[in-house]
């Protein structure tokens, strides 16, 4: 997919040729590559490590070449930020698998030389780097420094508690990429120091959870995948925040789970699902979950109470009664009650089937402007409170709604 960015399907955004224009949407293949690297690279390196004593460094030749090609394709599209994240992922995988230290040093040195060469080869990129760690001239303030300056304006304006959700001023065409790469600046402006601290705490907790699990699991491949995903998600977040506050030059990487962008969001959520699946598959965690389920059953011994809600027409009441019958078939001692209205078919069919009926007033959603719209909120609140009271009184173990 990344190679297709060099074909007519490739699409430039802010000077980076890292997108594919499919006509109806655009995708960023590098985001898929990050996920693929987290799955494939640990598996390949783990297999190669078993052959190292026989073949030496040549055992790692295949994954090294493929990994280098992937990073080179991203760099070829002038996306240095994404390439840096791929280097983080690869570095973590090689480190954990026990890649020879001297060759690891050679790789790090090569990466530093390559980054330096890329910085020098692009006058615009070099100016951004020099502006980040030096002083911005009056001309730079309207060009390479413009985005960084307005990001700092946004964070400074937020103070301790922020200007309030939706009250940002910088996002109104002052700060470029305010909705994706520089979203942290808007968070700082609208929610202040407190909001920024919460975001940092979220990523710190995320990193801590994944690292702790990676250290506890007995499957080395799972541990490597967890650490690669950690360095991807949390490392990318730290780079994004570092760019916004001026620690790093502008690189153009989104904040995971927060920045706008379909490819990034989809792959971050996929990675989160992968992590949860890997965690739950581990024997010690599976055993803990089973123990918790057993404890829950022991604590809730007795007659289960199921509350079913629904009514109106036969199309609603008959499925409800079918569910109630199925529950009784599975657990004959289960106590089943129904919440409905006093005007639908349930007022006759439910008692006839042998189930208790708790009634509430029908509150239809207003479909057109009329006086009922003014009464609707109060009626909705009143009947919702009544349902809550019924559930508390019945001590329901489970609630189901048929529609």
């Amino acid at each position: 997919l990344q190679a297709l960015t060099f074909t007519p399907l490739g699409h430039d955004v802010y000077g980076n040729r890292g997108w594919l224009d499919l006509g109806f949407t655009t995708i960023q293949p590098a985001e898929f590559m990050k996920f693929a690297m987290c799955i494939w690279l640990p598996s390949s390196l783990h297999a190669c490590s078993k052959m190292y004593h026989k073949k030496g460094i040549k055992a790692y030749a295949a994954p090294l070449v493929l990994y280098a090609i992937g990073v080179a394709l991203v760099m070829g599209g002038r996306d240095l930020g994404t390439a840096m994240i791929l280097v983080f992922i690869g570095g973590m995988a090689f480190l954990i698998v026990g890649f020879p230290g001297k060759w690891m040093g050679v790789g790090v040195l090569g990466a530093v030389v390559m980054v330096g060469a890329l910085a020098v080869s692009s006058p615009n990129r070099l100016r951004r780097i020099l502006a980040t760690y030096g002083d911005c001239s009056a001309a730079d303030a309207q060009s390479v420094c413009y985005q960084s300056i307005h990001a700092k304006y946004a964070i400074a304006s937020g103070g301790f508690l922020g200007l309030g959700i939706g009250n940002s001023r910088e996002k109104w065409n002052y700060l470029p990429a305010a909705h994706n790469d520089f979203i942290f600046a808007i968070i700082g402006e609208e929610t202040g120091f407190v909001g920024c601290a919460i975001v940092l705490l979220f990523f710190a907790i995320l990193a801590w959870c994944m690292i702790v699990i990676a250290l506890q699991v007995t499957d080395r491949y799972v541990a490597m995948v967890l650490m690669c995903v950690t360095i991807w998600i949390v490392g990318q977040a730290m780079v994004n925040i570092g760019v916004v506050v001026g620690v790093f030059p502008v690189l153009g990487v989104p904040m995971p789970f927060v920045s706008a962008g379909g490819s990034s969001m989809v792959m971050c959520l996929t990675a989160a699902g992968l992590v949860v699946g890997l965690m739950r598959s581990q024997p010690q965690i599976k055993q803990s979950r089973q123990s918790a389920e057993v404890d829950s059953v022991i604590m809730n011994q007795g007659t289960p109470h199921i509350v079913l809600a629904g009514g109106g027409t036969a199309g609603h009441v008959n499925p409800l009664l079918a569910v109630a019958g199925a529950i009784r078939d599975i657990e004959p001692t289960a106590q089943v009650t129904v919440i409905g209205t006093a005007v639908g078919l349930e007022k006759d069919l439910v008692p006839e089937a042998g189930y208790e009926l708790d009634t509430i007033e029908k509150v239809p959603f207003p479909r057109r402007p009329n006086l009922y719209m003014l009464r609707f909120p109060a009626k909705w609140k009143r009947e919702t409170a009544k349902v809550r009271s019924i559930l508390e009184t019945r001590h329901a173990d489970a609630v189901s709604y048929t529609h």
Side-chain angles (χ1 to χ4, degrees), residues 90-264:
M92 179 61 70
F94 282 105
L95 181 65
I96 296 177
V97 81
F99 192 72
K102 63 178 181 179
W103 291 106
M104 180 73 79
V106 171
V108 172
L109 181 61
V112 171
V113 171
M114 186 175 294
V115 170
L118 288 171
V120 174
S121 64
S122 172
N124 181 57
R125 188 179 292 127
L126 183 60
R127 286 176 62 199
R128 289 206 308 264
I129 294 173
L130 294 176
T132 300
Y133 303 113
D135 295 328
C136 286
S137 64
D140 290 339
Q142 296 300 319
S143 56
V144 293
C145 293
Y146 181 85
Q147 202 170 18
S148 296
I149 289 174
H150 279 271
K152 293 173 184 175
Y153 285 167
I155 293 176
S157 299
F160 187 73
L161 294 176
L163 302 178
I165 302 297
N167 292 332
S168 167
R169 294 185 290 266
E170 288 293 333
K171 68 183 179 184
W172 301 112
N173 292 330
Y174 292 104
L175 176 62
H179 62 298
N180 43 43
D181 294 350
F182 278 76
I183 188 66
F184 187 73
I186 305 304
I187 292 174
E189 186 179 13
E190 295 191 350
T191 63
F193 172 82
V194 173
C196 291
I198 291 173
V199 171
L200 287 170
L201 180 63
F202 163 76
F203 284 108
I205 293 173
L206 198 63
W208 180 80
C209 290
M210 288 192 285
I211 291 172
V212 168
I213 297 297
L215 293 174
Q216 292 179 349
V217 296
T218 56
D219 190 326
R220 194 173 185 186
Y221 169 71
V222 172
M224 291 175 67
V225 172
L226 290 175
M227 291 304 296
C228 286
V229 173
T230 301
I231 198 68
W232 165 22
I233 301 295
V234 180
Q236 182 169 312
M238 294 304 103
V239 170
N240 176 276
I241 293 171
V243 167
V244 172
V245 300
V247 175
F248 304 122
V250 177
L251 293 171
V253 293
M255 178 178 286
F257 304 113
V258 181
S259 293
S263 299
S264 175

Side-chain angles (χ1 to χ4, degrees), residues 57-118:
I57 194 63
K58 293 181 180 179
Y60 293 101
L64 270 173
V65 171
L66 291 176
Y67 171 70
I69 291 174
V71 175
L73 287 172
V74 174
M75 285 188 169
R78 300 185 296 277
D79 192 350
L80 186 58
T82 300
M84 181 185 295
I85 303 304
L86 291 174
V87 170
F88 287 171
I89 295 172
M92 179 61 70
F94 282 105
L95 181 65
I96 296 177
V97 81
F99 192 72
K102 63 178 181 179
W103 291 106
M104 180 73 79
V106 171
V108 172
L109 181 61
V112 171
V113 171
M114 186 175 294
V115 170
L118 288 171

Side-chain angles (χ1 to χ4, degrees), residues 312-314 317-318 321 344-355 357:
T313 65
V317 178
N318 288 334
L321 293 176
L345 289 178
E346 64 272 19
K347 68 182 178 64
D348 297 320
L349 297 181
V350 170
E352 288 177 2
Y355 303 106
L357 176 66

